[in-house]
Amino acid sequence: MTSSIHTDEMNILCQWLKQQRKIQKLTMRELASRMAKPHSYVQKVEQGERRLDVVEYVWYCDALSIDPHTGIHLVIDALQSN
């Protein structure tokens, strides 16, 4: 099994998170501020340079006020289509 950071599934999840931020018209800095993280944290997640563990993912979704189940379903759908 490969590292999850460089998979299609992780790319889909990161792009979804980025899309959700943009829909809300939030900058990376604004989102990072909500999470009490440096803006580079959001940048690295969105560029696929940093992997989120499950708890971090839920915190990220909470900061965006989005349902983490939606992202999980995107990953599951991507796995099933392979």
Side-chain angles (χ1 to χ4, degrees):
M1 190 171 259
T2 185
S3 171
S4 66
I5 197 164
H6 300 295
T7 62
D8 291 341
E9 296 83 14
M10 183 57 85
N11 290 336
I12 289 167
L13 186 63
C14 291
Q15 289 306 309
W16 176 72
L17 290 170
K18 181 178 181 178
Q19 177 187 40
Q20 295 306 305
R21 175 184 62 77
K22 288 186 170 192
I23 286 170
Q24 296 180 36
K25 296 183 173 40
L26 291 172
T27 66
M28 287 185 203
R29 288 184 189 277
E30 290 168 333
L31 178 56
S33 178
R34 287 184 181 186
M35 295 187 289
K37 300 278 188 186
H39 84 279
S40 61
Y41 175 86
V42 173
Q43 179 182 17
K44 288 178 181 178
V45 169
E46 289 187 2
Q47 292 179 349
E49 296 175 14
R50 187 184 194 293
R51 186 174 60 97
L52 296 172
D53 68 27
V54 173
V55 175
E56 290 173 319
Y57 169 69
V58 171
W59 290 342
Y60 205 106
C61 289
D62 185 57
L64 286 168
S65 299
I66 57 176
D67 185 358
H69 293 97
T70 304
I72 300 287
H73 288 295
L74 289 171
V75 171
I76 291 168
D77 289 347
L79 282 169
Q80 291 175 346
S81 68
N82 288 337

